[in-house]
Amino acid sequence: MRSQPTALSIGEFGRLAGLSIKALRLYDVSGLLPPAEVDEPSGYRRYTADQLDRARRISMLRRLGVPLAAIGEMLALSDAEAVTRLDRWWAGEDAAMEARRSSYLWLRTRLAHGDDPERDYAVRMERRSGRKVATIRAQVDQQALVPAIGTAQWAIRAHLDEQGAVHGPEHWVVFHGLVTPDTEATIEVCVPCSGPVEPSGEITLRLEPGRLLAYAEVLRDDCFYPRITAAYEAVHQHVTTAGLVAAGPPREIYLNHWERLAGDDPFCRVAQPVEE
């Protein structure tokens, strides 16, 4: 005869799972973790040891800040599907944090360097080989620019991971029009990649041709509007003075050093493709 699993009181179960009684009651009401049985006269909840794995997963997801509704979705999936759902949630959190970080950096830079003179930018030339890129296009104004870049970049990277493609830390943003606080334009966020990968939804694939670029390196503290426009002006002046012809819209090439708040290392390159 098969023995019944040992019933645990809510206090015993909570200690083993690392959850408070209050949390267990919340997860019961929300349907995430109902007890194995409830004593009708007393209302005492009883759990079993085979519920511990689910409880510990819920606990870890809550520590990450995952909403209850999203936790319910993940628990209903297979482990492989739950990984994909968790990755997408995490990418959204990264994008939201990057938007907050951008606002913080903008304010910090204005306070710390508001009276500084504009920098002089040295313009260099570089020849880049052709590469396959995964891209997303978006219509944005200046306020929506940074959040849109972060959201698109991490959506692309999550898709490339799902497909088993290889991608490095670099990405760039092509500006198909002038983005200002008062005007919207189309941007194209690009992540270079290699290996088998298919387009999906708003994510498209194309071959970025080999290009000769005129570029200026920009520090983190200067990488905000309107201060960054000085780098664009320096690149444009160099191209004009040298008698070069633009071969496409300008772009900002990021090294993905999002954690750097300041310093003397370049954060991005403002670049203009030119005809060879």
Side-chain angles (χ1 to χ4, degrees), residues 49-61:
D50 57 8
Q51 292 180 284
L52 284 171
D53 181 66
R54 183 181 181 92
R56 288 165 180 159
R57 289 194 183 195
I58 294 171
S59 176
M60 183 60 69
L61 289 167

Side-chain angles (χ1 to χ4, degrees), residues 6-10 13 24 28 33-36 45-49 51:
T6 303
L8 302 170
S9 70
I10 190 171
F13 186 80
L24 287 172
D28 178 12
L33 187 62
R45 296 170 171 84
R46 297 284 181 179
Y47 297 82
T48 59
Q51 292 180 284

Side-chain angles (χ1 to χ4, degrees), residues 10-30:
I10 190 171
E12 292 170 326
F13 186 80
R15 283 192 294 273
L16 292 172
L19 293 169
S20 67
I21 292 176
K22 181 179 179 181
L24 287 172
R25 287 172 176 161
L26 172 62
Y27 301 151
D28 178 12
V29 172
S30 64

Side-chain angles (χ1 to χ4, degrees), residues 176-217:
H176 294 278
L178 185 62
V179 177
T180 74
D182 302 315
T183 60
E184 290 187 347
T186 299
I187 63 168
E188 183 180 11
V189 181
C190 306
V191 178
C193 59
S194 61
V197 59
E198 297 293 332
S200 175
E202 61 182 350
I203 300 174
T204 62
L205 297 172
R206 65 175 174 81
L207 179 63
E208 174 82 1
R211 295 181 181 276
L212 180 63
L213 296 178
Y215 71 90
E217 294 183 337

Side-chain angles (χ1 to χ4, degrees), residues 113-120 222 227:
H113 304 286
D115 297 330
D116 290 354
E118 290 189 349
R119 296 183 186 274
D120 292 327
D222 295 324
R227 197 172 179 91

Side-chain angles (χ1 to χ4, degrees), residues 23-24 54 64 70-71 73 82 117 122 140 143 167 193 199 209 214 232 253 262 273:
L24 287 172
R54 183 181 181 92
L64 290 174
I71 291 176
E73 294 174 12
V140 298
Q143 184 176 4
H167 54 99
C193 59
Y232 278 96
I253 303 172

Side-chain angles (χ1 to χ4, degrees), residues 80-158:
E81 293 171 328
V83 167
T84 300
R85 179 67 179 87
L86 180 61
D87 285 345
R88 287 176 178 167
W89 174 83
W90 188 257
E93 291 297 295
D94 268 345
M97 177 55 71
E98 183 52 40
R100 291 181 60 203
R101 190 194 309 275
S102 176
S103 297
Y104 156 72
L105 290 170
W106 182 89
L107 179 58
R108 176 186 181 277
T109 302
R110 289 297 295 264
L111 293 173
H113 304 286
D115 297 330
D116 290 354
E118 290 189 349
R119 296 183 186 274
D120 292 327
Y121 288 96
V123 179
R124 301 178 177 87
M125 304 297 295
E126 179 183 73
R127 182 172 284 103
R128 290 196 152 204
S129 58
R131 287 181 286 181
K132 180 168 64 176
V133 296
T135 76
I136 289 178
R137 291 194 177 214
Q139 191 82 5
V140 298
D141 59 14
Q142 193 66 44
Q143 184 176 4
L145 177 61
V146 172
I149 293 173
T151 299
Q153 181 203 172
W154 292 114
I156 293 171
R157 293 188 187 281

